[in-house]
Amino acid sequence: MRIVFLGAPGSGKGTQAQRLMADFNLPQVSTGDLLRAAVADETELGQRAKTAMDAGELVTDDIVLGIIAERLSEADCSNGFILDGYPRNLQQAKDLEPVLADIGQALDAALLLDVDMDILMKRLTGRRTCSTTGKLLNIYFSPQEEIDAVTAAGGELIQRADDNEETISNRLSVYREQTEPLIDYYRNAGLLQTIEGEGEIDEIYARLKSTLGLS
Ligand code: AMP
């Protein structure tokens, strides 16, 4: 199965993609994660991407195209993948077509996770990652026992550098201006499926699987 996840920052793309990856052995291909790894490793590409990421702007199309083309040509993507955070504008959606043609794979669906703006803001400002396990938590929504368990096990709750209020509002405007037009693009291609992205993670996941015809 080859899926593109659409949805604003904080709509739950990463969380739902991680669930699909665990249950169906589909690699989650997140340009955000690949870029953060390049920044952490201080590669040349990471250095070129960092300023845009810190400001909540998009990294240039040629940088992300290079990353995505390389990642999709790896062996684990040959039986399907979940694209999380790519494409992010119309040019990237067009750039993706020849990459998929080259590896002989076509998209099955573009899934839009639909979430209200005020909920997105809380999800993003409250989002934390456990420093030892990588588990995603939210200080507003996660059960207190889960949050306490992280600290009790010696982990720290880390906030992403671009999850501060100023960068978040910029990322949301970038989404509205540049990424939202992709909804029509994939609707016209007959691939769009919209999923109500509010509620419990398990509930949303169940909706998503039923939309995709997975059990
Ligand atoms: P994410 O983890 O998907 O929210 O991405 C974090 C940041 O990485 C974004 O705010 C952008 O600066 C950059 N980024 C991730 N994916 C892309 C993309 N497809 N095109 C351009 N920039 C991206």
Side-chain angles (χ1 to χ4, degrees), residues 31-32 35-36 52-53 57-59 64 85-86 88 92 160 162 171:
T31 39
L35 287 166
R36 277 184 288 281
M53 291 176 77
E57 300 290 341
L58 293 186
V59 172
V64 281
Y86 190 92
R88 270 280 223 287
Q92 292 181 12
R160 259 170 60 169
D162 59 353
R171 285 160 62 210

Side-chain angles (χ1 to χ4, degrees), residues 107-134:
L107 292 177
D108 295 303
L111 299 181
L112 170 65
L113 283 170
D114 198 19
V115 179
D116 263 6
M117 251 330 142
D118 51 336
I119 295 187
L120 289 176
M121 209 59 196
K122 264 190 148 175
R123 284 198 186 165
L124 290 164
T125 52
R127 178 159 71 180
R128 302 288 186 276
T129 308
C130 168
S131 59
T132 46
T133 62

Side-chain angles (χ1 to χ4, degrees), residues 53-55 121 124-125 159-171:
M53 291 176 77
D54 285 345
M121 209 59 196
L124 290 164
T125 52
Q159 186 171 28
R160 259 170 60 169
D162 59 353
D163 274 347
N164 61 76
E165 282 200 27
E166 197 187 329
T167 309
I168 287 170
S169 50
N170 201 26
R171 285 160 62 210

Side-chain angles (χ1 to χ4, degrees), residues 10 14-15 18 122-153 155-160 163 201:
T15 304
Q18 280 180 9
K122 264 190 148 175
R123 284 198 186 165
L124 290 164
T125 52
R127 178 159 71 180
R128 302 288 186 276
T129 308
C130 168
S131 59
T132 46
T133 62
K135 185 180 163 79
L136 286 170
L137 292 159
N138 190 295
I139 55 168
Y140 300 119
F141 301 121
S142 298
Q144 193 58 44
E145 314 83 82
E146 280 189 23
I147 294 173
D148 293 344
V150 168
T151 30
E156 273 181 70
L157 290 172
I158 308 284
Q159 186 171 28
R160 259 170 60 169
D163 274 347
I201 293 174

Side-chain angles (χ1 to χ4, degrees), residues 17 22 29 38 43 51 58 62 68 72 77 84 91 94 111 114 120 126 134 156-157 169 173 186 213 215:
V29 177
T43 64
T51 316
L58 293 186
D62 61 320
I68 206 83
L72 289 180
C77 290
D84 163 13
Q91 184 57 50
K94 288 175 187 152
L111 299 181
D114 198 19
L120 289 176
E156 273 181 70
L157 290 172
S169 50
S173 347
Y186 284 114
S215 49

